[in-house]
Amino acid sequence: MVSSLSPMVRMSSSRRLRYLSATSDATTDRVSSRVSEGAFRQLIEIAPEAVAIHQDGHFVYANQAAADQLGVSDPGAVIGCQVADFIVPADREKIAAVTKQLYDHGEGGESHLKRFRRLRPDGSTIDVETVAITVLWEGRSAILSMGRDVSARVTAEERVRDLLSTGIYWLWETDTENRFSYVSEKADNHPLDRAFVLGKTRWELAGEYQEDAKWREHAADLDARQPFDNFEYWSRTPSGREFCVSVSGTPSFDNDGTFRGYRGIACDTTKRRQAERTIEHMALHDALTTLPNRTLFAKELERECSIAKRDGTKLAVLFLDLDHFKDINDSYGHSVGDKLLVQVADRLKSCDSGGGLVARFGGDEFLMIASRPYHPATISWLVNRIARRIAEPFDIDGLTVQTSISIGIATYPDDALDAERILANADLALYAAKGDGRNTWRIFDRHLQDHLQAQRSLDQELRHALDQDQFELYYQPVIDIADGRVSGFEALIRWKHPKHGEMLPDSFIPTMERNKLVVPLTEWVLSEAAAQLKRWEAIGLSSYKIGVNVSPVLLRLQGFVGLFDGCIAEVGCDPRCIVIEITEGALIDETKAIPVLTALRERGVTVAVDDFGVGYSSMARLRLLPVDVLKIDRSFLTKVNEEAGDASIVKSLVNIGHSLEKKVVAEGVERMEQYSFLNKIGCDYAQGFLINRPMTANEVPIWLDRWRSSAFC
C-alpha cells in the first residue's frame, strides 16, 4: 500500500538518482532488490511523464520530459530556478498551499491530482495536471512531482462548455434500451423537465407525432448501431405546448466492444420549424383569403381522383368566377374588392356542409371539390345554394355590395380521367356559363369542344403576329430603395393586335405556352432585349440590366441554354446584363430547372424568382436553388399600411430573402407609404407605378433624365 511506503530519493554529488524504499513490507523489499539503481534511473529519464523534484522552492532535478514541459531544451537549465517562476501568477498561491500541506505531512505525504497553468520562459502557457509526494533529497524533505500536459483536453472541454453556455444545445446519453440515462445540466432550455425525460425513450416522448416511415428508419439506424445526424421529431409538453427537437448521436462501446448505448447533442428547433411551417402554409395558401391556392388544390384533386378510382366512385369539380368583379374594383376601389373576396370565400366554405374543398384559383376565380358521395341532384342543390348565398348583399364597412357568380362543372370519370383535364373541362364549362349571360352554371359536355376551334383561331393569329412583328417590349424600371439609383428594367411584352389594339400577356401567353409558340417568342424577346441594351450603351446608358420573363416551358426545353447563348452572342451583349425571371411554379420540376439555371448563372446571368410568396417554393429548397433575387408578389403590398398582418408578412419575406443571402425586390409599389415602409424594413429594390409605368424603349432616356432630378435620388 502507498501509505505503508516511506519514499526517499537521494542524489550523489554526481547527481545519480536512486530510489530507496524504506519499508518493512517484504514484497516491496523483494521488488526493490531486483531493480538496479541504473535501470530505475534510466526509466525515469525516458519516461513520457514530466518528473521533477523541488526543494525550498527551487528545482533540484528534472527529466527531459519535464524540461520539454517547462519550455527549455536542457533539464540542467532549470536546476536552481524558482518553481513559482514556472507557474502563472493566478495559480501560485494554490500550488504553494499544496506544497505546504506536503511539507507539513512529512515524508510519505501525497497530493491528489491538481491542475494548474504552467508559465514558460517565452511567455506561453500550457495546462498541466500533476501528482506529488514528499521524499528525502540529500537528507532533507523535498517534493517529487509527476505531471502531464493536458492543454488539448482542456481546450476541448472549454469548447464544450462554450457550446453549452450558448443555451442552444444540450448533451444526452441513452442506455442499451434507448432510454435516456443522462441529460446535461445545461439543458435548461429543454422544453421538458429533465426528470421527466430520464428513463424514457424518444418514442415515448414523441407519442402521437410519430411518422411511421421516418421512425422506422431511425429505429433501423439504432439497431444497426449507426450514428445519426439531425433527427427531428415533434412532441408535446405535459401542459400541451408543441415543440420540436433535433438530435444527433453516436453509439458508445466499452473497450471490449460491448455496446453501452448512445450519446450525443440536441437542440430545440421549434422556432425554426414553426417558421418553416408558416412559409410552407404561405406557399400553399392564398394570402388574402387564406384558402388553399391552385398548387395545393391540384395536389388534392389528384389525390381525390386516385381515391375515386380505387373506390369506383365519382367526384365533381366546380370552377367559379365572380361576375363583373372588375366593375366593383373600378367603382369602389381594390380595398373593397379584396374584402369582398374574403367574404365570398367564407360563404363558399359554408355552402358544402359535407366538407368539400374550396380554393382560390386567382383573381376573382375559385375552385371547389364537392364532398362525396356524388349524385347529380346533390350537385344541382349545391350550385343553387352557392348562387343564392353569393347573390345575398355583402356588407363591407357599411357599404352594400351585390354580385353574382358563374359556375362550370366537370366530373370524374365521366368528363376526364386525370386532374388536369377535369380542371380544364370545368374551365370550359365556366366559359360557357359566362357566355350564357353569367349568373348561371353549366355542366361540361362535348359540345364545348367547339371552344377549341376558337383556340385554334387564336393560335393562327399568334403565329401571324410572330411573323409580322406585332409584338413590342415595354420597360418598367427597378430602383435601389436605399439611394434611388436605377438598377435596371423589366421587359414586358405587349401584342399590338391589328383589331383589338394593345393586348397584355395574360390574354395570349397561356395559349402560346400550350402550343409551344412561347419558344420563338422568348427567342425574340431575348434578342430584342439584348439589342436594346447595346442601343442604350451606344448613347451612354451602359450600367443597367434587363429582366426577361421565361416560361417554365422553356426551362423544360432541351437546348434553351444554347438558344440563350445564340441570342446574346448575335448582338455581342454581356450576359451579366441579363436577368432571367421565373415563377415559383417553374421550380416544381427541379430536375430540369436546376441544371438550366445553374448553366445560366455560370455565364454571369442573374436569376430571379417572380411572385415570391404565393407559389411552390419552400425555404429549404430556395436555399439550395441557383437563385439570386426574390421578387415579392404585388398582392402582399396592397394593404401593407392598413393591416398589421400584411406588413408582418412582407417584413418576414424580406427577412427570409436576406437570410437566404438573396436580394429582394418588391413589386407593385404604387404609393409613397409603401415605398417608405419598404425602405424602413431594408428591402433592396422597388418596382411599380410609383416609380413609373412600363414605357417604350425611346421613352426610357427621357424618363431617366427626369428621374435623376427627382426626390428619390
Side-chain angles (χ1 to χ4, degrees):
M1 300 291 290
V2 174
S3 60
S4 67
L5 298 177
S6 298
M8 297 191 303
V9 179
R10 302 181 185 278
M11 183 70 75
S12 67
S13 59
S14 62
R15 295 198 178 278
R16 292 182 297 111
L17 181 62
R18 295 188 294 118
Y19 179 86
L20 301 176
S21 177
T23 177
S24 59
D25 188 292
T27 303
T28 305
D29 288 340
R30 288 195 298 272
V31 173
S32 299
S33 67
R34 294 174 183 172
V35 180
S36 69
E37 177 182 325
F40 190 75
R41 175 185 177 182
Q42 184 180 12
L43 178 64
I44 292 296
E45 291 294 344
I46 67 173
E49 306 291 346
V51 179
I53 301 174
H54 58 88
Q55 190 178 61
D56 299 329
H58 295 77
F59 286 108
V60 294
Y61 171 78
N63 68 353
Q64 185 59 49
D68 295 340
Q69 189 186 97
L70 292 166
V72 298
S73 57
D74 181 12
V78 300
I79 303 305
C81 295
Q82 290 191 22
V83 175
D85 290 343
F86 291 85
I87 302 173
V88 297
D91 288 344
R92 289 171 184 170
E93 185 176 339
K94 175 177 66 175
I95 299 303
V98 173
T99 303
K100 183 178 183 304
Q101 290 176 358
L102 288 169
Y103 277 128
D104 289 345
H105 188 278
E107 187 181 339
E110 61 184 67
S111 73
H112 295 291
L113 193 66
K114 298 295 181 183
R115 181 189 295 177
F116 66 94
R117 291 192 67 78
R118 176 76 74 193
L119 178 63
R120 291 171 158 179
D122 64 0
S124 63
T125 62
I126 61 173
D127 291 282
V128 176
E129 281 186 349
T130 65
V131 292
I133 60 173
T134 308
V135 299
L136 289 180
W137 177 271
E138 302 290 353
R140 295 190 300 115
S141 293
I143 306 298
L144 183 149
S145 65
M146 180 179 291
R148 66 178 60 179
D149 183 349
V150 294
S151 300
R153 193 182 78 201
V154 170
T155 299
E157 291 173 350
E158 288 176 348
R159 286 173 179 166
V160 173
R161 282 197 299 272
D162 290 343
L163 182 66
L164 295 177
S165 67
T166 63
I168 299 174
Y169 298 96
W170 63 86
L171 303 179
W172 58 267
E173 293 181 4
T174 57
D175 59 20
T176 56
E177 296 181 347
N178 296 315
R179 298 187 179 279
F180 285 100
S181 56
Y182 168 76
V183 179
S184 66
E185 294 292 340
K186 288 292 185 179
D188 296 336
N189 65 325
H190 194 292
L192 294 174
D193 181 73
R194 291 176 63 248
F196 180 80
V197 174
L198 294 177
K200 291 183 173 62
T201 66
R202 271 187 288 280
W203 281 262
E204 291 172 312
L205 295 176
E208 65 193 77
Y209 291 89
Q210 294 182 39
E211 300 172 18
D212 291 344
K214 173 181 176 181
W215 283 86
R216 280 197 301 270
E217 183 178 344
H218 182 54
D221 286 340
L222 297 182
D223 291 341
R225 309 293 186 248
Q226 294 294 312
F228 59 91
D229 287 321
N230 298 320
F231 177 73
E232 276 192 332
Y233 63 93
W234 284 91
S235 186
R236 192 186 298 273
T237 66
S239 63
R241 182 173 71 88
E242 281 189 323
F243 67 90
C244 187
V245 173
S246 175
V247 293
S248 300
T250 186
S252 174
F253 300 92
D254 280 346
N255 291 333
D256 61 0
T258 302
F259 175 65
R260 304 303 302 170
Y262 272 82
R263 61 181 54 166
I265 195 168
C267 65
D268 186 344
T269 57
T270 306
K271 290 183 179 179
R272 177 177 62 81
R273 291 291 292 143
Q274 287 176 338
E276 290 177 357
R277 278 183 171 182
T278 300
I279 297 304
E280 288 169 4
H281 183 274
M282 289 169 57
L284 296 173
H285 291 78
D286 174 55
L288 178 65
T289 64
T290 72
L291 290 175
N293 61 17
R294 69 177 73 180
T295 301
L296 180 55
F297 183 86
K299 293 180 179 179
E300 289 298 311
L301 181 55
E302 288 181 358
R303 187 178 67 86
E304 290 291 330
C305 287
S306 297
I307 294 173
K309 180 178 180 180
R310 181 197 66 195
D311 298 342
T313 57
K314 296 183 179 183
L315 65 86
V317 173
L318 283 62
F319 210 132
L320 311 98
D321 183 19
L322 286 181
D323 298 329
H324 306 295
F325 180 72
K326 184 179 183 299
D327 295 340
I328 295 174
N329 267 338
D330 293 343
S331 300
Y332 303 115
H334 289 279
S335 176
V336 171
D338 287 347
K339 292 176 181 179
L340 173 63
L341 292 173
V342 171
Q343 291 191 27
V344 167
D346 291 338
R347 292 191 186 183
L348 290 176
K349 287 189 292 185
S350 69
C351 286
D352 191 347
S353 57
L357 176 67
V358 179
R360 186 183 179 196
F361 185 77
D364 59 350
E365 294 180 323
F366 296 84
L367 299 166
M368 179 182 290
I369 301 175
S371 59
R372 287 193 293 262
Y374 167 86
H375 190 279
T378 304
I379 298 302
S380 177
W381 175 87
L382 174 62
V383 294
N384 282 300
R385 175 180 171 84
I386 291 172
R388 288 195 303 271
R389 291 284 288 125
I390 299 303
E392 295 173 3
F394 291 87
D395 183 355
I396 301 175
D397 298 333
L399 179 69
T400 300
V401 177
Q402 288 189 289
T403 186
S404 58
I405 197 164
S406 300
I407 306 172
I409 306 165
T411 62
Y412 173 92
D414 295 345
D415 299 326
L417 298 176
D418 63 87
E420 183 177 358
R421 178 46 55 189
I422 292 172
L423 201 56
N425 288 345
D427 191 18
L428 285 175
L430 171 63
Y431 184 84
K434 294 167 71 173
D436 287 346
R438 295 183 170 84
N439 192 23
T440 188
W441 54 277
R442 285 283 303 272
I443 297 176
F444 174 81
D445 62 60
R446 297 302 168 185
H447 296 295
L448 291 176
Q449 297 296 338
D450 293 342
H451 177 71
L452 296 177
Q453 180 58 43
Q455 287 292 327
R456 283 192 287 269
S457 175
L458 179 58
D459 287 353
Q460 293 174 358
E461 289 187 40
L462 288 169
R463 294 178 193 278
H464 182 73
L466 281 170
D467 293 337
Q468 298 300 315
D469 294 326
Q470 292 178 4
F471 294 102
E472 183 178 1
L473 290 183
Y474 279 53
Y475 300 88
Q476 186 170 38
V478 179
I479 68 162
D480 189 321
I481 296 178
D483 56 14
R485 179 181 57 84
V486 178
S487 65
F489 299 82
E490 181 180 358
L492 301 169
I493 195 166
R494 301 290 186 263
W495 181 9
K496 300 295 184 178
H497 196 284
K499 293 182 179 179
H500 306 302
E502 183 179 291
M503 297 181 67
L504 298 178
D506 286 349
S507 63
F508 57 88
I509 290 296
T511 299
M512 299 188 83
E513 286 181 327
R514 190 186 67 253
N515 59 24
K516 301 299 187 293
L517 287 177
V518 72
V519 177
L521 178 68
T522 303
E523 184 176 8
W524 176 84
V525 171
L526 283 169
S527 297
E528 178 60 22
Q532 186 58 57
L533 281 169
K534 298 297 290 184
R535 288 193 287 269
W536 283 339
E537 182 180 331
I539 60 174
L541 305 178
S542 58
S543 59
Y544 304 115
K545 294 184 176 183
I546 289 184
V548 175
N549 292 280
V550 174
S551 165
V553 174
L554 272 296
L555 298 183
R556 296 191 292 267
L557 178 69
Q558 186 175 8
F560 173 68
V561 175
L563 182 150
F564 174 87
D565 289 341
C567 294
I568 299 301
E570 184 178 8
V571 297
C573 178
D574 187 343
R576 292 174 295 180
C577 296
I578 300 295
V579 179
I580 294 297
E581 298 193 13
I582 59 174
T583 62
E584 288 191 77
L587 301 175
I588 293 178
D589 190 359
E590 293 179 6
T591 57
K592 294 184 178 179
I594 289 180
V596 173
L597 298 179
T598 300
L600 292 173
R601 290 182 83 222
E602 289 173 351
R603 288 157 169 77
V605 175
T606 299
V607 177
V609 174
D610 208 1
D611 302 334
F612 175 58
V614 300
Y616 157 80
S617 305
S618 69
M619 297 309 100
R621 285 280 182 249
L622 280 175
R623 186 181 300 278
L624 302 175
L625 291 172
V627 170
D628 306 290
V629 178
L630 302 177
K631 302 187 74 172
I632 299 176
D633 184 72
R634 61 184 298 116
S635 63
F636 293 109
L637 269 292
T638 304
K639 297 186 293 183
V640 76
N641 294 102
E642 303 173 16
E643 302 287 345
D646 285 6
S648 297
I649 290 174
V650 173
K651 185 176 181 181
S652 296
L653 291 173
V654 171
N655 290 338
I656 289 166
H658 289 165
S659 71
L660 297 174
E661 300 180 347
K662 317 293 185 188
K663 294 295 185 180
V664 181
V665 180
E667 295 184 298
V669 181
E670 299 181 358
R671 303 190 304 274
M672 194 64 201
E673 311 93 89
Q674 296 170 334
Y675 185 91
S676 299
F677 171 77
L678 293 169
N679 188 25
K680 180 180 178 182
I681 65 174
C683 186
D684 302 298
Y685 302 101
Q687 177 181 350
F689 285 2
L690 178 68
I691 294 109
N692 209 65
R693 294 175 178 270
M695 52 192 144
T696 64
N698 293 333
E699 293 173 319
V700 169
I702 301 171
W703 175 84
L704 282 171
D705 288 338
R706 293 200 310 268
W707 179 259
R708 293 189 187 103
S709 61
S710 71
F712 289 88
C713 296

